Amino acid sequence: MQAISDFISWLFGDRTGVMVLVLGGIVLCLIIAVAMERKTKTMYFNHEKSDDDWSLFDDDDEDE
C-alpha cells in the first residue's frame, strides 16, 4: 500500500507527475478520438462527398 500511496503523491504532488498526468490524458483523448473517427467512417462509408468535406485519414487517392 505504501507504493501506491507514494505513486499517488508523486502523480499529484510533483511537477513531473502532473505533467505525466496531463500528457497521459491528452494521449488517451487522442486514441479515443481516432477510434471513434474510424468507427464513424466505417458506419457512413457510402456518404457522398462534397467539396466542403474533408477526411482525417484522407484515404481517397484522387488526383486533382
Side-chain angles (χ1 to χ4, degrees):
M1 288 304 282
Q2 183 65 29
I4 294 172
S5 175
D6 289 342
F7 176 72
I8 296 297
S9 66
W10 170 78
L11 193 61
F12 292 103
D14 191 25
R15 179 178 285 209
T16 308
V18 172
M19 289 178 64
V20 167
L21 188 64
V22 169
L23 290 176
I26 290 171
V27 168
L28 179 66
C29 288
L30 182 65
I31 290 170
I32 291 170
V34 167
M36 291 177 71
E37 174 69 23
R38 287 187 182 256
K39 182 179 178 184
T40 303
K41 186 176 179 182
T42 58
M43 186 180 293
Y44 298 108
F45 64 93
N46 59 353
H47 171 72
E48 188 174 321
K49 293 190 178 195
S50 66
D51 292 337
D52 294 334
D53 288 345
W54 60 276
S55 175
L56 179 63
F57 302 108
D58 199 21
D59 289 342
D60 296 336
D61 293 331
E62 296 177 7
D63 294 330
E64 293 183 27

